[in-house]
Amino acid sequence: MSRHRAVRLLLYALLVGGAIPMVLPLVWMLSSAVKPLSEVMKVPPSLIPEQPTLDNFAVVFTQLPFGRYLANSVIVAVIVVVGVVFVSAMAGYALAKFPFRGREVLFMAMLASLMVPFQVRMIPLYLMSMKLHLTDTLAGVAFPWLFDAFGIFLMRQFFHTIPTDIIEAARIDGTSEPRIFFEIVLPLTRPVLAALGIFTLVANWEEFLWPLIVTNSDVSRTLPVGLQSFSDQYIANIHWQMAGATIAVAPLLIAFLVFQKQFIQGIAMTGLKD
């Protein structure tokens, strides 16, 4: 066996060894979601269900308005992902390709906002939502996340990798700035847009604190808040909780599987230029 092949096998072994602890909780959740409670509590435990059942999922949707929670999460996620991708793309393009006074100061100020924890902004945001009559609404759940400094940073770094000569040539041909952005520049950013969309989707989908604060009824509660309420009511029914968690995780897994190629390309191509 050559030395190069031995090194590759060792690296693969390390990757597999690191992946197992990450994947095992997910496998256990999926397994417990299709087991009766007696099998979940069985000692020693087993990953393969002896009597698989889908009744746990039916219970989840009948005991609580889980369908409503799921729909609310989907609506909020769509609003936030579209808003963050659009705003970040436009702001990143302006910061990367338009020289203006104070550009670097503005960029550094946005980066500095990443160091401010959400708990510091939580009360002012809630007061704003009250004044705007957004409490207990899906718009109120979504509005704090429509601006993302990390997304702007990500897009700015990517736009720096696009040659300015392409933009200048389009301007010489008389192309308007909106057409340059939407028809020439934006199509080149699909990989990083997909990566930013997945980052935003994951962060927003699992957000718990803000929806808990700004909502007070099932009309606007999202999945994390609904799952917590479900767990509090049925704390001993682990199989039902695992079924609810499986439903909550499924959209994220589907999104990653669909856009994994663009996601990997976006990570590899972003930040190549200061």
Side-chain angles (χ1 to χ4, degrees):
M1 181 184 296
S2 65
R3 181 179 178 182
H4 179 69
R5 187 176 181 183
V7 171
R8 288 187 62 185
L9 289 176
L10 178 61
L11 289 176
Y12 286 143
L14 291 174
L15 290 174
V16 172
I20 290 175
M22 302 294 179
V23 176
L24 189 58
L26 178 63
V27 174
W28 176 255
M29 178 189 71
L30 296 175
S31 175
S32 299
V34 293
K35 289 179 180 179
L37 183 59
S38 58
E39 285 191 39
V40 175
M41 305 300 293
K42 183 179 178 181
V43 179
S46 61
L47 287 178
I48 301 176
E50 297 176 2
Q51 297 177 339
T53 177
L54 297 178
D55 292 342
N56 299 334
F57 296 95
V59 171
V60 168
F61 281 97
T62 55
Q63 296 297 324
L64 283 177
F66 215 77
R68 181 71 182 187
Y69 298 154
L70 181 61
N72 290 343
S73 289
V74 171
I75 293 171
V76 172
V78 169
I79 294 173
V80 172
V81 169
V82 172
V84 166
V85 168
F86 183 72
V87 172
S88 298
M90 296 191 69
Y93 178 64
L95 290 170
K97 298 300 181 182
F98 287 89
F100 57 88
R101 182 176 297 178
R103 181 179 67 171
E104 297 302 322
V105 175
L106 178 61
F107 178 63
M108 294 303 296
M110 285 191 293
L111 287 183
S113 68
L114 292 172
M115 295 184 290
V116 181
F118 176 73
Q119 288 78 4
V120 175
R121 299 177 285 129
M122 187 169 58
I123 295 177
L125 285 171
Y126 183 74
L127 294 176
M128 287 176 58
S129 67
M130 290 184 62
K131 290 182 179 180
L132 295 173
H133 304 288
L134 295 178
T135 54
D136 203 27
T137 65
L138 296 181
V141 176
F143 93 93
W145 316 113
L146 297 179
F147 169 84
D148 184 19
F150 171 75
I152 295 175
F153 167 76
L154 202 64
M155 296 305 301
R156 174 186 177 273
Q157 296 301 99
F158 189 87
F159 281 125
H160 271 309
T161 67
I162 298 177
T164 306
D165 294 342
I166 298 176
I167 301 172
E168 294 296 338
R171 288 170 179 165
I172 292 173
D173 291 339
T175 308
S176 64
E177 292 295 339
R179 286 193 63 188
I180 293 174
F181 176 72
F182 287 105
E183 297 182 13
I184 298 176
V185 177
L186 204 59
L188 300 175
T189 65
R190 289 176 182 172
V192 72
L193 289 178
L196 177 59
I198 292 177
F199 284 144
T200 305
L201 175 64
V202 172
N204 179 260
W205 191 265
E206 63 186 15
E207 176 60 35
F208 173 76
L209 183 58
W210 176 250
L212 178 66
I213 294 171
V214 80
T215 62
N216 51 39
S217 70
D218 291 335
V219 174
S220 54
R221 284 188 179 130
T222 54
L223 267 178
V225 181
L227 277 175
Q228 179 62 41
S229 175
F230 185 78
S231 298
D232 290 342
Q233 293 185 42
Y234 303 98
I235 189 170
N237 298 284
I238 302 175
H239 55 322
W240 295 351
Q241 296 181 37
M242 294 299 102
T246 300
I247 297 171
V249 170
L252 296 181
L253 295 177
I254 294 172
F256 180 77
L257 291 175
V258 171
F259 298 106
Q260 61 178 322
K261 182 178 179 180
Q262 292 84 349
F263 177 74
I264 295 172
Q265 288 178 352
I267 295 299
M269 299 173 65
T270 302
L272 298 180
K273 185 175 179 180
D274 294 331

